[in-house]
Amino acid sequence: MIWTRRGLIKSLSRTAVVLTLEDVLKLAWPAGAQEVAQQVGARPTYDTKPRPAPKGVASPVTGTPLGYSFVDVAKQSGLTTKTIYGGEHKNRYLLETTGCGVAFYDFDHDDWLDLFLVNGTRLEGFAKGQEPVSHLFKNNRDGTFTDITAKSGMTRSGWGQGCCVGDYDNDGLNDLFVTYYGQNILYKSHGDGTFTDVTTKAGLTQSKMRWNSGCAFVDYDKDGKLDLFVANYIDFDIKTAPLPEAAGCAYKGMQVACGPPGLEGGKNILYRNNGDGTFTDVSEKAGMWGTIGTYGLSVTVADLDNDGWPDIYVANDSTAATYYQNQKDGTFKDTAIEAGIAYSPDGKPQAGMGVAVGDFNRDGLLDIVKTNFAGDTDSLYQNLGDGTFEDHTYLSGLGVNTRYLGWGVGFVDLDNDGWLDIFISNGHVYPEVDGSHLDAPYAEHKYVYRNLRNGQFEEVTNLAGNGMTDAVAARGCAFGDFDNDGDMDVVVNCVNSLPQLLRCDSTVARNWIKIRVVGKKSNRAGIGTRITVIAATAAQDKSGMGKQPLRQIDEVRSGGSYYSQNDLRIHFGLDGAKTADVELAWPSGAKDTLTGLAANKLYVIEEGGKVLKTMAMDGVKK
């Protein structure tokens, strides 16, 4: 038998052998790497020269027109507010580097996506009354947005981080949670563009300074009430944090902000919903602190092991990723190592930033894509269906890129062919790289990978329009159809710059269907609902699929990407199919099936199978 590091660790985990963190590091990292990681400011580095993907099954897609292009319409749409975050040319502390998330957030439930852009601040602060705040934009249904922040009640300023959406009190209105370095905030929505800060009332006031990062609402105990998970990055105090010049922190010979290795990692938090508008911190009891990895950044929630219970995956910076497997008794266990989703293929920790899940090969299992630091590839983990994953980064073709630093990410069907593509936003973490000897700019273009329908992807960034190739210092990005024309758009929050609103303009006529769910016994937002769409017909192609039904799955989820929130309406491309059957598996255990739904419409479906609303979506005049 030939042993890999992953196989050895997995084998040991099933015996009585207890591995210490030191043992795991010795197994997972090459000799000396664990000592290097203890130096303040050091991130693990790798020999990851691009390797070509091996030849696989012939693809029916390669060489065909892309079928869409992205245009940045932020300015003409009214998104003219700059996101402020740290120093523009030099950063003294790691706090200035992480940037902010963004949400496609339909706060008034009119099925036209509104926008929420998290904002930050600077070390030197601002004069009273001039502090930057996060911004809420209402969709005018004509391709433009109106900034309604002033009347919304969203007056909080500070080091904003991530955001996530969910109906925590089951009143039929989706609420907004925003994480901060410092005190988080829960905004209760009134459905009319106004909000109330209910953080203290809800019991979410924190007793110590925390660097809160990614977040997600999740009904982990399936009681019909949304709980709340909040990742934490570093136990950071700006009064005692080391400065680059004092600590000698460097990146490739260049002085940069210190950390995270060498700094104390934060502890992730799980709040249980009490059902009376309040939450209780159950983090330690639930097993949130018993993990190998720390330095948590982005979060995604999904039923990764197909047992009907939501699991939680956290992209960690410079350490093993965390996979909280739901034990169905109110507790979680970190099984990332055993599952094969903790490290790189050769057993090294990676500097994870963003994370998304989706069934890219349409086998009914949710896979994982994770963005990583510059000098490394992004990661693609294929779900094997037995509780484990295989790293398919190189097999899939994602290993061709190592230069840029990834943040926001999504599995998204950009051409409506029924196969999930991959979108990644990039930007370096250190502004000091501009003008340096390094061949890595601070502002970077994005990546888009087209699904070749054979287990592989093809990078098509240069074919996807100026919206993709224009360089920005991107951080969070979210996915949704803001103009209701049937293709998926992207909003990107950038550091010390205007946001990007990337409108997807399709040049091929393919069909699609959107589903928004409303829970009854389950939580009202339907978060955690698994949706299966089966197209009535599927064309013969060269991939060997034949005339098998176009079967796809996805789940309604809060949080994800990097610090961001996608459209809660779930979008499925249908290729040429004109009708589809829809199956819904609700968190409560209830199941509904609707047959023969016409394509190119939005369906709002209530638990029990009642269609509350059908909406033709013809888009807005461009």
Side-chain angles (χ1 to χ4, degrees), residues 456-521:
Q456 297 180 7
F457 291 84
E458 171 190 21
E459 193 205 338
V460 291
T461 304
N462 290 334
L463 304 177
N466 292 339
M468 291 298 301
T469 55
D470 288 347
V472 296
R475 293 298 185 264
C477 70
F479 304 89
D481 185 1
F482 84 89
D483 53 0
N484 279 351
D485 65 351
D487 50 36
M488 295 293 280
D489 311 301
V490 188
V491 59
V492 184
N493 206 349
C494 305
V495 177
N496 291 315
S497 182
L498 297 177
Q500 287 187 308
L501 181 60
L502 304 181
R503 189 185 69 204
C504 183
D505 291 341
S506 294
T507 57
V508 292
R510 292 194 178 112
N511 297 325
W512 50 269
I513 194 170
K514 290 186 193 292
I515 308 295
R516 176 162 68 85
V517 298
V518 179
K520 290 186 73 177
K521 185 177 179 181

Side-chain angles (χ1 to χ4, degrees), residues 351-420:
M353 302 294 168
V355 62
V357 297
D359 181 12
F360 80 88
N361 56 353
R362 292 209 338 237
D363 63 355
L365 303 168
L366 291 173
D367 311 297
I368 300 171
V369 61
K370 177 168 67 75
T371 56
N372 296 308
F373 201 80
D376 193 3
T377 66
D378 298 311
S379 299
L380 180 65
Y381 298 107
Q382 180 179 324
N383 194 330
L384 300 181
D386 60 357
T388 69
F389 295 73
E390 286 288 352
D391 191 309
H392 272 239
T393 303
Y394 287 105
L395 290 172
S396 68
L398 263 66
V400 299
N401 289 309
T402 62
R403 182 184 176 206
Y404 285 171
L405 196 161
W407 299 89
V409 59
F411 279 116
V412 55
D413 186 356
L414 296 172
D415 53 6
N416 281 335
D417 67 350
W419 295 84
L420 293 177

Side-chain angles (χ1 to χ4, degrees), residues 164-165 216-218 299-304 355-359 366-367 411 525-530 553-561 564-570:
C164 53
V165 170
F217 284 100
V218 52
V299 177
T300 192
V301 175
D303 180 10
L304 292 171
V355 62
V357 297
D359 181 12
L366 291 173
D367 311 297
F411 279 116
I527 288 170
T529 303
R530 177 167 289 198
I553 67 165
D554 204 351
E555 291 179 354
V556 183
R557 64 182 59 89
S558 173
S561 184
S564 296
Q565 175 68 58
N566 300 327
D567 185 359
L568 287 174
R569 306 174 304 177
I570 307 302

